[in-house]
Amino acid sequence: MVNLSCKERGFKEIKYMIKCRSMENKEKIALTGDRPTGRLHLGHFVGSIQNRIKLQDEADQFFYMVADIQALTDNAERPEKIRNNVLEVVLDNLACGLDPKKTTMFIQSEVPEIAELTILFLNLVTLARLKRNPTVKDEMKQKGFEENVPAGFLIYPVSQAADILFCHSNIIPVGEDQKPMIEQTNEIVDDFNRIYGDTFSRVKHLVGDTPRLIGIDGNSKMGKSLNNAIYLSDSYEEISKKVMNMYTDPNHIHVEDPGKVEGNVVFAYLDIFDSNKKEISELKKQYEKGGLGDVVIKKRLIEVLEKLIKPIREKREELAQNPEAVMKILEAGTKHAREIAKKTMAEVRKVVKIDYF
Ligand code: TRP
C-alpha cells in the first residue's frame, strides 16, 4: 500500500468494502445430512440437530439430505439396512422439530446430478489427499479396511463436496468429525474456480455447543457402531439402564469415599444436559469430598435425560404411525432439490465445456 497515491488507496478501500458487504449479504444456504445406518442418538442431537432447528429459521434456505449413497459406500452388501433406516433418520429429525415447511428434505440417490458432479470433482483430488483425510483414516482403521477399502468409501468426502455444492450451500451444521470434509470441499471449490472460472463459493461448517459427546462407556465418541449410545427414541427403561451402567470413578466404592469428577461420564453429561449449573457445581464439590453416592447423581441424570427425550420419543411414535406421509415429504423435497441440481449441472457443464447439444 505504501506506494499507492491517496486516490488509488481510496479506490482499493472502496473495492474492499464492497467485497466485504457482498460477502455479508450473501444468501445463507445451509445443508446437512445423515447416513441412514441407524437411529440417531444424543451425540447427533447436541452436535448438529440443535443447530439444524435454529438454522431452518435463520438461513434463507435449508436442506436436509438422507445420505443413502454415502451409507452404501461401506454397506454395499446390506441394501435393506440402508433402505429401512431412511425412515428412521427422518423420523428422528422430524421428531426433534425439523419442519418440512421450512426445510427441503430429500434423498441423495434421487438426485443423480450429485453423482455427476462427484465424477467431475474427482479429477481435482489426488489419491494421496484422499488417504490423508483424518476422519476417513479413523473409520478405515475401525472397519479394518487397509488397502482393501472400497473405492467408493475412500472418495466419499468428494461426493460429500458435491452434496454441499449442488445447491450452492455455504453453511454446514455438522459434528466435529465432519470438519475434514468441509476442508476438502473448500479445496475443491478453489481448484474448480481456478480452472473453470468462479462457479462455487467457499463453505463454512457450524459445530454445535458440544461438538463431540463422549459415549456412556467413557469412550471419546458416542457412536452407533461403538454400542455406547443413548438414542433419541430410547424408552425410560432403556435410558435408566444405560445411565445406571455409566462409567463413573472405579475407586469410588463406598458413599463416603471421595470421588473423581474428571473423566466421570455422569458428571460430563450433567454438565451438558442439566441446566441448573449451580446445583451441579455443589454436587461436584460434595462428590469430591465424599458422601455422595453414584446412584444419587445417576438418578438425577435419568430424569434430566427423560425430560429431554420424552417429547421427542412421543412425537416420533406419532409420526411413525403414518410412514406414507413421511415418504410424501421426502418426495416433494426431492423434487425441489432435483430442480436446483439440474440448474447447477447446466452451469457446470457449460464451464467445463461439456455442453454439446
Ligand atoms: N458424512 C455425514 C455423516 O456421516 C453425512 C453427510 C453426507 C453430510 N453428506 C453430507 C453432512 C453433506 C453434511 C453435508 O454424518
Side-chain angles (χ1 to χ4, degrees), residues 31-35 65 67 70 156 160 163-164 172 174 178:
L31 177 139
T32 190
D34 292 312
R35 291 185 200 177
M65 185 184 77
Q70 187 176 113
Y156 90 72
Q160 191 157 330
D163 300 339
I164 292 169
I172 315 298
V174 281
Q178 297 296 301

Side-chain angles (χ1 to χ4, degrees), residues 144-340:
F145 281 151
E146 302 198 4
E147 280 300 304
N148 291 322
V149 58
F153 185 81
L154 189 66
I155 65 127
Y156 90 72
V158 180
S159 127
Q160 191 157 330
D163 300 339
I164 292 169
L165 297 174
F166 90 87
C167 59
H168 293 284
S169 59
N170 45 30
I171 302 172
I172 315 298
V174 281
E176 178 95 313
D177 62 327
Q178 297 296 301
K179 226 167 136 181
M181 313 307 162
I182 307 302
E183 278 163 20
Q184 186 130 41
T185 300
N186 281 328
E187 287 171 26
I188 291 172
V189 167
D190 291 345
D191 282 337
F192 194 99
N193 290 349
R194 178 178 54 77
I195 301 167
Y196 305 113
D198 251 358
T199 309
F200 296 110
S201 303
R202 289 188 134 237
V203 309
K204 266 198 208 140
H205 81 296
L206 191 70
V207 172
D209 297 337
T210 309
R212 192 182 286 259
L213 182 67
I214 55 170
I216 55 174
D217 55 355
N219 190 305
S220 68
K221 193 184 159 187
M222 180 176 279
K224 289 184 264 224
S225 46
L226 300 170
N227 218 356
N228 64 1
I230 294 180
Y231 293 91
L232 297 171
S233 48
D234 272 352
S235 65
Y236 182 71
E237 291 68 35
E238 283 163 323
I239 297 170
S240 308
K241 211 169 100 197
K242 288 177 183 177
V243 173
M244 282 304 182
N245 284 326
M246 263 184 185
Y247 183 87
T248 54
D249 172 3
N251 296 320
H252 184 240
I253 299 160
H254 308 290
V255 174
E256 59 277 10
D257 292 342
K260 254 171 72 180
V261 164
E262 207 183 304
N264 188 315
V265 182
V266 180
F267 276 114
Y269 276 56
L270 285 170
D271 274 339
I272 296 166
F273 296 103
D274 196 318
S275 53
N276 196 332
K277 303 291 168 225
K278 211 171 137 229
E279 274 180 34
I280 296 303
S281 127
E282 275 156 20
L283 284 173
K284 279 183 188 169
K285 270 188 219 144
Q286 206 185 336
Y287 192 83
E288 281 173 332
K289 220 163 65 198
L292 180 62
D294 280 356
V295 174
V296 176
I297 53 167
K298 283 182 170 174
K299 284 208 162 138
R300 180 171 178 128
L301 181 59
I302 291 169
E303 295 316 312
V304 167
L305 293 181
E306 171 66 1
K307 199 168 154 210
L308 172 74
I309 291 176
K310 187 175 183 232
I312 298 174
R313 183 177 64 226
E314 288 179 354
K315 176 101 187 280
R316 197 184 193 286
E317 276 164 16
E318 187 192 316
L319 291 161
Q321 303 286 320
N322 195 352
E324 292 83 20
V326 178
M327 290 316 286
K328 279 255 150 40
I329 290 171
L330 288 171
E331 197 181 348
T334 302
K335 203 168 153 220
H336 178 58
R338 181 117 204 247
E339 277 161 21
I340 294 167

Side-chain angles (χ1 to χ4, degrees), residues 76-124:
E77 291 175 35
R78 289 175 290 273
E80 313 77 33
K81 173 181 157 191
I82 305 309
R83 176 68 184 244
N84 295 336
N85 278 309
V86 169
L87 188 65
E88 302 295 336
V89 292
V90 175
L91 282 173
D92 281 325
N93 276 280
L94 290 171
C96 287
L98 218 66
D99 179 353
K101 286 197 206 78
K102 300 174 187 164
T103 301
T104 301
M105 303 179 80
F106 71 98
I107 303 181
Q108 186 184 25
S109 61
E110 292 283 347
V111 184
E113 287 76 11
I114 294 177
E116 224 180 318
L117 201 52
T118 304
I119 293 285
L120 293 174
F121 287 170
L122 277 170
N123 299 333
L124 309 177

Side-chain angles (χ1 to χ4, degrees), residues 8-30:
E8 281 172 323
R9 198 174 301 156
F11 187 61
K12 264 207 145 172
E13 273 166 16
I14 289 169
K15 253 176 97 176
Y16 180 71
M17 269 161 59
I18 292 173
K19 197 173 163 205
C20 289
R21 203 167 323 129
S22 74
M23 272 164 81
E24 266 168 34
N25 291 342
K26 209 164 60 194
E27 203 184 0
K28 270 193 186 171
I29 306 175

